[in-house]
Amino acid sequence: MVRLEEGKYIIGFDDGYQLGKTANFVFNNGIHRLGATETTLKEHSLFYDGEYFKVGEGRAAITEDKVSDDDARLRTMAAAAMELGGAGIHKAEVVLAVGLPFSNYGRDKPKLIDYYKQQNRLGFSYEGEDYFLEIGKVIVCPQCYSAIATRLGNMKGDYLVVDIGSKTTDVVYVQDGLPIESRSITIEKAVVKWIKEIQREMKVQTGKDIPEHEVMKIALKEGSNLPGAYAELIRGMLREKMQSLELELAERGYSMDYINIIYVGGGALLARDYAGKYRAHTAYDCDLCANAKGYEFLARQIEGKQVV
């Protein structure tokens, strides 16, 4: 969150298909409607427009877009409450900085702005605390590019920036600090699809249904109770997924053997651990909040105001 002036703030929100990320918080993107039934626990609870919700428990189903229902708005309210509540702020005018995949940016930007502008005054309660937001402006930024926006001035030569997301992978080609749009793409290889494929293959090989969150624990090298043999099978499949991605990038004309490569965001963790070979010209920025921080940086540049 960036303070512009008294009562006005920039809040960056990266509304992923698996995780919601602000500059300082990360939460699961699941939405559970409880209707008029009050939540038992305050954690992750939101009350809006006469209904109770749990925001941040589990993963929501992947949809074609994020503007066909209220779920993105509910996640945005929770995200804003996390940022504002941590600073003791409950009423604010917000410049909302959000993102879209690089290749879909021009097409979907007007729809996303219109989505937030339709209901730009939001009164709600989050975890028992009341908030009132007025979304005064919506700034839409391209994903992946935003994650490296603060360092573009230092990027001399050619770079390939790769953001492996939940639904898509964004690839931005940067030459002497300038993104080259004609050489930047979005491809349909991403974490959720990989996890589903691994679950199906594990069912074939072991006869067991392995939960998504257990596969993710192996992917992120977190503690898992899965048998060692299962964990090794999953690691092998993850290596295959990463190698398949890099092979596709090579087939699309990107010189993976010598170009500077930066993997960013949560997918950088997978690339670092499963790409399969060390390369001195490859870097891994594993900050899950990199895009959200970039949105705030770009929004601040657009606003052109002195940060208080």
Side-chain angles (χ1 to χ4, degrees):
M1 182 175 71
V2 178
R3 181 184 175 188
L4 293 174
E5 56 193 56
E6 188 62 38
K8 186 174 182 179
Y9 304 86
I10 296 171
I11 296 179
F13 179 45
D14 180 7
D15 186 19
Y17 280 98
Q18 190 165 34
L19 298 171
K21 288 89 68 178
T22 68
N24 299 291
F25 296 92
V26 178
F27 59 96
N28 291 321
N29 77 337
I31 301 285
H32 299 279
R33 282 174 165 76
L34 303 177
T37 304
E38 185 175 357
T39 60
T40 303
L41 301 175
K42 287 184 179 180
E43 286 76 12
H44 308 300
S45 66
L46 184 143
F47 181 74
Y48 170 69
D49 198 23
E51 290 188 278
Y52 289 93
F53 303 86
K54 280 286 189 174
V55 180
E57 295 185 352
R59 179 177 67 79
I62 287 183
T63 55
E64 186 63 29
D65 60 45
K66 296 173 183 173
V67 299
S68 55
D69 58 31
D70 274 339
D71 285 3
R73 187 173 291 108
L74 296 169
R75 286 190 291 269
T76 303
M77 284 186 264
M82 292 177 193
E83 288 285 333
L84 293 167
I89 301 164
H90 293 84
K91 183 177 181 179
E93 179 182 348
V94 171
V95 175
L96 181 64
V98 292
L100 285 169
F102 195 90
S103 297
N104 300 345
Y105 177 80
R107 182 192 68 194
D108 292 342
K109 176 182 174 181
K111 292 188 291 185
L112 190 58
I113 292 174
D114 184 60
Y115 174 81
Y116 283 111
K117 285 293 189 178
Q118 285 173 6
Q119 297 180 44
N120 68 325
R121 294 188 176 188
L122 302 169
F124 61 95
S125 294
Y126 181 72
E127 294 189 344
E129 298 287 334
D130 293 335
Y131 294 88
F132 180 79
L133 307 182
E134 180 177 352
I135 300 176
K137 188 173 185 179
V138 180
I139 295 175
V140 183
C141 309
Q143 292 169 199
C144 188
Y145 164 79
S146 299
I148 48 90
T150 60
R151 68 182 86 168
L152 283 171
N154 298 321
M155 294 172 67
K156 305 304 180 184
D158 292 355
Y159 283 82
L160 197 65
V161 186
V162 184
D163 184 359
I164 306 171
S166 298
K167 184 181 180 184
T168 58
T169 291
D170 283 318
V171 182
V172 175
Y173 193 92
V174 176
Q175 194 168 58
D176 293 328
L178 179 66
I180 307 301
E181 191 164 350
S182 62
R183 299 199 64 188
S184 301
I185 59 173
T186 298
I187 58 179
E188 297 295 324
K189 288 183 184 287
V191 174
V192 171
K193 182 179 179 180
W194 289 350
I195 298 302
K196 292 298 183 186
E197 291 172 349
I198 289 171
Q199 286 178 291
R200 288 195 292 270
E201 185 60 27
M202 288 297 291
K203 177 70 171 179
V204 171
Q205 293 200 33
T206 69
K208 304 293 185 181
D209 292 313
I210 308 299
E212 181 177 298
H213 67 271
E214 290 295 339
V215 179
M216 283 301 300
K217 285 180 182 179
I218 301 298
L220 301 177
K221 291 195 170 181
E222 298 176 350
S224 171
N225 292 323
L226 289 177
Y230 289 14
E232 190 53 41
L233 282 171
I234 292 170
R235 292 188 192 103
M237 294 175 197
L238 287 166
R239 283 190 286 270
E240 290 175 1
K241 301 302 181 188
M242 276 304 310
Q243 290 164 9
S244 173
L245 173 63
E246 293 204 333
L247 178 60
E248 177 163 347
L249 292 175
E251 289 174 343
R252 287 174 178 255
Y254 301 112
S255 303
M256 305 296 286
D257 289 332
Y258 62 84
I259 191 172
N260 295 306
I261 304 169
I262 305 176
Y263 283 97
V264 298
L269 292 165
L270 293 177
R272 182 192 65 190
D273 295 334
Y274 297 104
K277 60 179 179 179
Y278 171 77
R279 290 180 300 229
H281 59 275
T282 302
Y284 306 93
D285 181 350
C286 300
D287 184 358
L288 293 173
C289 302
N291 273 305
K293 292 174 181 176
Y295 299 162
E296 291 188 352
F297 171 81
L298 293 171
R300 188 176 65 191
Q301 302 303 109
I302 291 170
E303 287 297 282
K305 293 185 178 180
Q306 181 71 36
V307 177
V308 181

